[in-house]
Structures are given as structure tokens and as C-alpha cells.
Amino acid sequence: MSDPASFPGQRIAAIVPCHNEEPTVAAVVRDLQLAVPGITVYVYDNNSSDRTAELARAAGAIVRHEARKGKGNVLRRAFADIDADIYVTIDGDDTYEAAALPRMIEALLEGPYDHVLGVRSSGEAGSYRPGHETGNRMFNRMVSLLFRSQVSDMLSGYRVFSRRFVKSFPAVSKKFEIETELTVHMTSLRLPQVEVEIGFGERPEGSESKLHTYTDGFKILYLIVQLVRHERPTLFHGIIAAALALISLGLGVPVVLEYFETGFVPRFPTAILAAAFMGVAVLVGCIGIILDALKRGRREAARLAYLRLEPPPQPQDADVLQPDAEALRFDGKTK
């Protein structure tokens, strides 16, 4: 456990989104306060119908309310309202290892980094619901490939951020897709980040997951497609243009060969359709090129907005911060 003096003068805010987490919220608040003395814990009650807010307040948290349902809406509100040097997000279901928080904060300060991702490691059977672990691995590989940045656990809800990450993050997502948006924001701006392995356990008895495997999985997949369209328009529109061009060639090549053999074009409708497909392919490709130029300007503006904010706080004494080397993995590799 880290000594309170490890983070002198740092305003650390933990944001805990909650919807009907009565069985676990008090334990999460107490564990965070024990792990990092002096931390300010904000519990955002997201339309709970139980005693979540009451128990969180009794445990010492500052309770706020967000009427718009969804984790994305909660973080959007919290990031706008809360002023701190270091931000922590953690779910209120008591599945994440709160005791790992000092190591994550130390990693942020040591870098300094703008984003620390808690990579879930579970030795308990049943910690992941059926299908969740497989889906998580699939999304990790997809995002790593599409956005050219290695990500080990993009759906983790346990993260630590610098102030300039939080205040430059647009927060468009409404629900559980917010983790995907956080990850892509980090990769698209190439912000310095590190991964820290954390413990992950099964939900306590009486606590019920709010994540719907297939419904939320399709929402995450749809968001990834939309983010590819916005962040890699050349790739997105290039794939569509290539598909249309192949259809055009498949329809048009036989017509052209027949013309060279006979000197006639007996299938005018097919020839016109092939020409139309090729024209649309060229148009879509040009749209991708134009959007790529606009994306560059948008990224430059986002980068300048990011640079106007203060960098992560620096430790006053380099000897104070001594992260566990076995627990930290930088750029996907063990340090």
C-alpha cells in the first residue's frame, strides 16, 4: 500500500458511475480511500432505484446525479464538472482491485503519461461472463489492427488519466462504448500511455451486471466502424471504393471482351451499370481523400487544444516513486 506522502499536493479524483450498485458501492468507496488516503471519491448515481446514493454518501463519497442513462453520459458530465490533477475511473461493482490504484498513479507520474490502462488479470473462474472474454479479445485485436496501436484490454473500466487527457477528450458516446472511445482518442492523438496489470474478480453475490453481451457488443462494433470512418477515412472509403470497382470490373470485363470479339455491345444495360459502379467508386475514393485532409486539420486542432493544458504533475523527488517493475508493461512489453 502506498504512503499518503507518495502523492503530495496532487488533487486525485475517483469517478464511480453507478446504477443500482447498493450491494457493492460502499466497499468500493472505502477501498479507494484506503488505497489512496486523501482521494476524493465521486459517486455518480445514474437513475438508481435502490440505496446506492445513500450508502455511497455514508461511506464518505461525494454523490452526484446524472439523469441521462449510460456510462458514457456519466463520464461526459464528470469530466466536465470535476477539476483535479489526476482522474481515476472505476466501476462500482467491486470487481476491480482498488489496492492497485497507487501503482497506477505512480506509473502515470513516473512517465509522465496521460493514460494508464488497468489490464484485467483473473485467476478466478467465472470472473468473466460467457462470451465476454472472447469478445474483449476480438475487439482488442480489431482496434490494435485498425488504429495501429497495441491495446491489451480496451474494455477495461479501470483507468487513470492526466488532466490534459480528460479536458481534451470530446466524450461523444452514451453507454458502454465510452471505453472504446477513450482508447481511440489515446491512439489517434498518439498520447503517451502505459498498461498496468490489475486483479479482477467475480461480482459479489447480489450484484447484477448491467452489460448485455450481444446488444452492447453490437453497439461497440458499430462505434468502432464509425471511429474508423472518422479517424481513418482513406481506409474506410478505400475499402468501399475497391469493392465497387471490383463489382464494376466483374460486370464490365465480359462486355469489353465480347466487344473485341464481335465489334458489338449487345448488353447495353450491363455496360451502363458497370460504368456507373466505376464512377461511384471513383467518387467514394475522392471523398476519402478529401476527408483525410480534413482529418489532418482536425487532429492538429485537437493536438493544439491538448498542448494548451498543463502536463501531468511531476514527482518532487524521483526516489519517492518506485513502481513494481513486474507490474508495469510499457508499450505492450514488460519493463
Side-chain angles (χ1 to χ4, degrees):
M1 189 66 64
S2 291
D3 191 290
S6 296
F7 315 111
Q10 311 300 344
R11 298 173 300 163
I12 305 173
I15 301 166
V16 187
C18 288
H19 173 71
N20 291 339
E21 298 290 4
E22 178 182 333
T24 57
V25 64
V28 172
V29 173
R30 287 194 295 266
D31 288 347
L32 289 171
Q33 294 169 335
L34 184 62
V36 182
I39 192 172
T40 304
V41 181
Y42 295 86
V43 170
Y44 273 77
D45 179 19
N46 193 210
N47 295 330
S48 297
S49 58
D50 60 8
R51 298 194 304 147
T52 294
E54 177 186 340
L55 295 179
R57 191 176 291 108
I62 297 173
V63 177
R64 293 181 176 175
H65 301 271
E66 172 53 52
R68 295 181 182 88
K69 190 175 180 181
K71 186 176 182 180
N73 287 320
V74 169
L75 292 186
R76 178 185 177 94
R77 171 80 177 275
F79 285 175
D81 291 350
I82 297 171
D83 191 43
D85 299 313
I86 299 171
Y87 296 78
V88 180
T89 60
I90 185 171
D91 294 343
D93 55 10
D94 199 23
T95 56
Y96 293 101
E97 180 191 6
L101 184 55
R103 289 190 285 115
M104 297 174 71
I105 296 174
E106 287 168 357
L108 183 90
L109 297 173
E110 185 191 55
Y113 295 97
D114 286 307
H115 176 244
V116 178
L117 176 65
V119 177
R120 292 170 287 185
S121 174
S122 172
E124 300 179 25
S127 295
Y128 282 97
R129 287 169 59 189
H132 284 196
E133 188 171 8
T134 301
N136 193 22
R137 284 200 302 266
M138 180 189 73
F139 287 133
N140 289 335
R141 291 171 184 165
M142 185 183 301
V143 169
S144 297
L145 176 65
L146 292 173
F147 296 97
R148 295 171 289 192
S149 179
Q150 183 62 39
V151 179
S152 301
D153 192 2
M154 58 166 279
L155 298 182
S156 172
Y158 197 7
R159 302 171 187 242
V160 177
F161 308 96
S162 69
R163 174 182 172 82
R164 63 180 177 179
F165 184 105
V166 166
K167 297 304 181 181
S168 67
F169 176 62
V172 176
S173 300
K174 297 178 181 179
K175 296 185 178 180
F176 285 101
E177 318 94 272
I178 189 70
E179 277 96 6
T180 304
E181 189 183 357
L182 285 164
T183 300
V184 173
H185 177 70
M186 180 269 298
T187 58
S188 64
L189 288 185
R190 288 175 288 170
L191 304 182
Q193 71 101 23
V194 63
E195 296 180 349
V196 175
E197 191 170 283
I198 59 166
F200 181 69
E202 191 174 358
R203 271 180 172 266
E205 187 176 350
S207 176
E208 185 177 341
S209 175
K210 315 303 184 301
L211 184 63
H212 301 91
T213 303
Y214 296 105
T215 303
D216 290 315
F218 281 118
K219 287 179 181 177
I220 292 169
L221 183 61
Y222 176 75
L223 178 65
I224 291 174
V225 172
Q226 293 303 309
L227 289 171
V228 171
R229 183 169 66 90
H230 284 286
E231 300 299 333
R232 299 199 62 188
T234 305
L235 173 65
F236 180 84
H237 291 84
I239 292 173
I240 297 175
L244 292 171
L246 286 175
I247 294 173
S248 173
L249 292 173
L251 293 171
V253 167
V255 175
V256 172
L257 292 177
E258 190 174 4
Y259 170 76
F260 282 125
E261 290 177 0
T262 66
F264 295 98
V265 183
R267 293 188 292 168
F268 265 106
T270 302
I272 293 171
L273 185 60
F277 269 111
M278 186 59 73
V280 174
V282 172
L283 180 61
V284 171
C286 291
I287 291 174
I289 294 172
I290 294 170
L291 290 178
D292 188 68
L294 294 175
K295 177 207 70 178
R296 181 179 177 85
R298 178 165 47 83
R299 281 194 181 174
E300 288 174 352
R303 179 70 180 176
L304 291 174
Y306 162 83
L307 291 174
R308 280 196 291 269
L309 298 163
E310 291 295 323
Q314 297 291 310
Q316 296 178 359
D317 184 353
D319 294 329
V320 170
L321 302 179
Q322 307 252 343
D324 181 0
E326 294 300 323
L328 304 183
R329 294 187 299 157
F330 294 79
D331 300 325
K333 299 178 182 179
T334 302
K335 186 178 178 182

